[in-house]
Amino acid sequence: MTLKNIVVVGAGFAGIATTKKLAKRFKKNPEVKITLIDRHSYQTYMTELHEVAGGRVEEDAIKFDLQRLFCRLKNVDLVTDNVTQIDHNKRVVLTENGSFPFDYLVLGMGGEPNDFGTPGVKENAFTLWSLDDALKIRTHIEEKVSLAAIERDTAKRKAMLNFVVCGSGFTGIEMIGELLDWKKRLAKNNKIDPSEINLMVVEAAPTILNMITRKDADKAEKYMAKKGIQLLKNSPIIAVESDHIVLKSNEKIPTHTLIWTAGVKANTDTEKFEMEAARAGRLVANEYMEAKGLEQVYVVGDLVYYEEFEDTPTPQIVQAAEQTGHTAADNIIASIEQTEKKVYSGKYQGFMVSIGATYGVAHLGGFLHLSGFLAILMKHLVNLYYFFGIRSGYYATQYIFHEFFHIKDQRNIFRGHLSRYGNVLWSVPLRIFYGSMWLFEGIKKAFGLFGTDSWFGNKVALPFSWLQDATAGASAADTGAVEAAKPIFGLSYAYGEEPMMVFTKAPEWFESIMKIMVPTPEIALIFQKVMTLLEIAIGLALIGGLFVWLLSALTVVLVASFSLSGMFYWVNIWFIFVAIALMNGSGRAFGLDYYVIPWIQKIAGKWWYGTPTSLYNKKA
């Protein structure tokens, strides 16, 4: 087979889905070359832009480096560049810095805000369609509140603290929700009353959130009204000035901040591609996602116009973006492998919208309606599912940290209870004490202190019945002075009356496992020595603050094993709960983990992912 060049333009949800599927299918086929071109060296997690704009997370929370996403797919060349033209006759993609021949082309360049020609939007409003947009909004709001705090003119101060979102779709409602959560922090930082900050949504249509059921939309509307967010429906904006907006009713609303989320159109860069376009500039495609009138040129994501039903094109949402990308990939595979093509069939599992970090509404599977905590929890699960879908455990982990552990001002569904920004320094004494207990136990067993048997004296514990039975009646010479006095592994109890054991006898299933691991007294002796050394090592590591999270988790497992062995006492069950408490980062607060863990992350990250750069231009 001759070399097949596949070029994918755009590293959004659709482009990533297409490239991932193609790369995995042709991973072992050297005759297929895949090139992914995007103007950025990273994917922007578009659905969470409002979290950056609203000050909840930092920008790195929604920037996914392309090299990390494709680090184990060596058949993908990454190119950071702007596409300027497509020569359909010569079948070449032209960029500002090069050219890329193609046998198959996938266009997933996405959309951009649609201002519908409204005067003043470009000059005076903010859009929310890129990371740069989100950062500009964030900086602008912080500056406006700061200036308003020292503004003496009452009318001007009121206008500066009036924040308006135009559009009540998912983006607009989620943006106003973030501002609602951010309001108290902005007020506190600038020493003003939170009630002075006014939030408003302006919508041209008579209803809001028209992608979900009226039942769910009504819940969202009631929640926003309860929280003091003003909703102006049937109120088209006809002009935007620097200090006010004008409605169709000629009413003027004073504001220095209008965030425009009222519509989406196709990326205007595609206008020079000489391809047939439809409503809002979207490129027309057939049921295979193949561009109209062109062979082996596919259109996916927000850019594609394909009517699943009459006058109803594919929705511009993540689910449709990924599914159109998969359809395009399936049909490129079908063409190369000479199999039957697949027709696009959208399967939308539901819709959900958040109004801040703690409240949302969701409509799932056609029948399940959720609100509040459960809706937000479902949104987090869907986001995590995306990372597993693109096989990125790294960014799934980062998402968990950004959304749950590295959060400020209680801005998540757990109200900040999982935040690692609490002062964990006070757990350091507990960590040292806990490590000392493990070290003390290990030393006692190793050196026979306080009358405890030493493994230097070749004495071995036999807590399991089958080992005791195997040595019954044997002479001391034959067994090496076998003595069933202490467990192979375990923790001693307080001196005095013996307390109650967790299990008086090991469960049969556990004994069956241990028969395989410890079949003879000789192996039991070796195992005892290993476990004793492990206890000493755990103690020293915990005292020094090294690998605290990992070793704390290990101690939970060890204590469970001790309990199941029939040689552990309820009085020492606190070992489990202390181990869980120490998993809060006490090693990094004051310990070796402060130095070691970042070093390991750096070395391991470079080995696994390579070194991320601001520009990609890999060549096969």
Side-chain angles (χ1 to χ4, degrees):
M1 182 175 72
T2 58
L3 179 66
K4 299 292 185 183
N5 286 304
I6 304 173
V7 177
V8 180
V9 180
F13 289 108
I16 295 293
T18 305
T19 307
K20 280 275 186 177
K21 189 159 194 175
L22 290 169
K24 285 187 284 186
R25 183 58 171 245
F26 297 119
K27 183 166 57 175
K28 298 181 180 179
N29 189 339
E31 299 301 321
V32 176
K33 175 186 175 184
I34 305 167
T35 302
L36 175 61
I37 305 174
D38 193 90
R39 65 183 59 183
H40 299 297
S41 61
Y42 54 86
Q43 178 196 9
T44 301
Y45 200 53
M46 296 286 289
T47 59
E48 305 303 313
L49 282 171
H50 58 278
E51 293 191 11
V52 175
R56 195 200 313 188
V57 300
E58 299 302 324
E59 62 178 291
D60 62 339
I62 64 169
K63 286 174 66 174
F64 307 149
D65 185 81
L66 296 179
Q67 186 166 274
R68 287 186 182 274
L69 293 180
F70 292 95
C71 67
R72 287 297 176 260
L73 295 171
K74 303 301 184 183
N75 54 343
V76 177
D77 291 345
L78 301 174
V79 175
T80 307
D81 210 340
N82 283 314
V83 173
T84 57
Q85 187 55 274
I86 296 173
D87 189 326
H88 294 290
N89 294 323
K90 295 181 180 179
R91 302 184 73 75
V92 174
V93 174
L94 303 174
T95 67
E96 292 178 354
N97 299 286
S99 61
F100 300 87
F102 66 85
D103 296 289
Y104 301 90
L105 174 64
V106 181
L107 296 176
M109 301 167 71
E112 59 186 53
N114 190 350
D115 61 17
F116 304 103
T118 306
V121 172
K122 286 186 173 65
E123 297 81 7
N124 301 312
F126 294 89
T127 56
L128 186 57
W129 201 256
S130 69
L131 186 57
D132 286 343
D133 287 347
L135 293 171
K136 286 177 183 177
I137 291 172
R138 181 174 182 164
T139 301
H140 169 82
I141 290 174
E142 289 174 331
E143 289 177 351
K144 280 299 170 187
V145 176
S146 176
L147 292 172
I150 56 175
E151 177 58 53
R152 298 177 185 274
D153 185 295
T154 303
K156 187 175 180 181
R157 178 185 174 104
K158 184 176 180 179
M160 294 171 74
L161 293 176
N162 189 29
F163 299 100
V164 182
V165 172
C166 176
S168 66
F170 291 166
T171 303
I173 296 303
E174 292 188 327
M175 183 67 245
I176 205 72
E178 290 303 321
L179 295 181
L180 176 65
D181 281 359
W182 199 16
K183 187 175 173 179
K184 289 182 179 179
R185 170 53 59 186
L186 288 168
K188 183 177 181 179
N189 286 352
N190 293 281
K191 295 188 260 189
I192 63 175
D193 192 319
S195 64
E196 288 192 75
I197 299 176
N198 186 59
L199 306 177
M200 180 183 295
V201 176
V202 179
E203 171 57 53
T207 55
I208 69 168
L209 290 172
N210 294 311
M211 287 290 287
I212 60 178
T213 67
R214 296 285 16 111
K215 175 182 177 181
D216 295 315
D218 288 344
K219 285 183 181 179
E221 189 168 343
K222 288 178 181 177
Y223 177 81
M224 288 187 285
K226 179 182 176 182
K227 293 296 183 178
I229 297 173
Q230 290 182 267
L231 287 171
L232 295 184
K233 296 177 284 186
N234 285 313
S235 303
I237 295 175
I238 61 172
V240 181
E241 302 294 340
S242 61
D243 60 355
H244 69 275
I245 59 175
V246 183
L247 304 182
K248 191 176 182 179
S249 63
N250 289 323
E251 179 186 357
K252 293 182 180 180
I253 298 176
T255 180
H256 290 208
T257 308
L258 175 67
I259 302 172
W260 186 274
T261 68
V264 182
K265 62 181 179 180
N267 190 315
T268 52
D269 289 347
T270 62
E271 292 175 356
K272 50 197 170 187
F273 291 175
E274 299 180 358
M275 299 171 66
E276 184 170 336
R279 192 188 316 165
R282 296 168 69 179
L283 303 181
V284 180
N286 60 21
E287 67 271 28
Y288 305 117
M289 295 299 106
E290 203 167 21
K292 187 174 180 179
L294 296 170
E295 291 185 4
Q296 308 302 355
V297 176
Y298 297 84
V299 189
V300 296
D302 289 352
L303 191 59
V304 66
Y305 186 92
Y306 168 66
E307 292 188 357
E308 295 186 78
F309 310 100
E310 187 175 355
D311 294 326
T312 307
T314 53
Q316 291 170 300
I317 59 175
V318 174
Q319 294 177 71
E322 292 183 313
Q323 291 174 36
T324 55
H326 289 154
T327 299
D330 285 335
N331 290 322
I332 292 173
I333 292 168
S335 176
I336 292 174
E337 298 180 352
Q338 298 296 302
T339 57
E340 187 177 352
K341 287 190 172 184
K342 295 183 179 180
V343 174
Y344 177 77
S345 178
K347 297 178 181 178
Y348 311 121
Q349 304 302 318
F351 303 94
M352 57 192 72
V353 59
S354 62
I355 309 171
T358 60
Y359 188 86
V361 293
H363 178 209
L364 307 173
F367 64 90
L368 182 61
H369 298 269
L370 302 174
S371 62
F373 176 89
L374 292 177
I376 295 296
L377 179 62
M378 184 57 66
K379 185 177 182 183
H380 285 306
L381 292 175
V382 168
N383 286 341
L384 286 170
Y385 179 77
Y386 170 73
F387 297 118
F388 289 113
I390 62 173
R391 304 295 192 273
S392 181
Y394 174 82
Y395 282 115
T397 303
Q398 291 302 305
Y399 179 85
I400 291 171
F401 277 111
H402 285 301
E403 292 292 337
F404 300 112
F405 297 112
H406 294 170
I407 210 73
K408 295 180 180 179
D409 297 325
Q410 301 181 354
R411 292 178 68 177
N412 66 27
I413 55 174
F414 299 108
R415 302 300 199 279
H417 291 298
L418 299 183
S419 174
R420 281 187 57 198
Y421 285 111
N423 194 340
V424 297
L425 186 63
W426 305 114
S427 64
V428 173
L430 178 63
R431 189 196 78 215
I432 294 173
F433 168 75
Y434 190 59
S436 300
M437 292 297 293
W438 277 103
L439 180 63
F440 190 58
E441 288 290 334
I443 290 176
K444 282 197 300 181
K445 291 172 186 174
F447 294 97
L449 300 179
F450 308 111
T452 304
D453 295 310
S454 164
W455 51 253
F456 290 112
N458 290 330
K459 293 182 180 180
V460 63
L462 297 175
F464 301 112
S465 58
W466 80 91
L467 283 177
Q468 295 173 9
D469 293 342
T471 58
S475 65
D478 293 334
T479 60
V482 172
E483 181 178 308
K486 289 287 180 183
I488 292 175
F489 42 48
L491 301 171
S492 63
Y493 52 84
Y495 292 98
E497 183 179 351
E498 182 174 341
M500 184 171 63
M501 290 184 176
V502 176
F503 291 101
T504 56
K505 183 179 183 297
E508 292 184 6
W509 64 268
F510 187 72
E511 283 203 357
S512 64
I513 294 174
M514 295 307 297
K515 282 181 181 179
I516 299 172
M517 297 179 62
V518 190
T520 65
E522 291 75 20
I523 294 179
L525 177 60
I526 296 173
F527 196 39
Q528 184 184 29
K529 293 182 178 181
V530 170
M531 292 303 299
T532 301
L533 290 174
L534 180 60
E535 288 181 17
I536 293 172
I538 289 173
L540 291 172
L542 289 175
I543 291 170
L546 180 64
F547 303 132
V548 173
W549 193 96
L550 181 64
L551 291 178
S552 295
L554 176 61
T555 58
V556 173
V557 175
L558 288 177
V559 171
S561 299
F562 298 165
S563 300
L564 290 169
S565 72
M567 286 290 182
F568 192 77
Y569 306 91
W570 280 110
V571 72
N572 283 331
I573 204 69
W574 62 269
F575 268 72
I576 291 178
F577 300 101
V578 171
I580 293 172
L582 293 179
M583 294 169 74
N584 68 347
S586 63
R588 297 188 73 164
F590 190 79
L592 294 175
D593 281 347
Y594 181 85
Y595 306 98
V596 174
I597 297 302
W599 179 79
I600 290 176
Q601 290 173 333
K602 180 180 178 181
I603 298 300
K606 188 172 183 179
W607 169 73
W608 187 261
Y609 297 111
T611 302
T613 67
S614 59
L615 298 173
Y616 290 121
N617 193 20
K618 291 184 179 179
K619 297 297 183 182

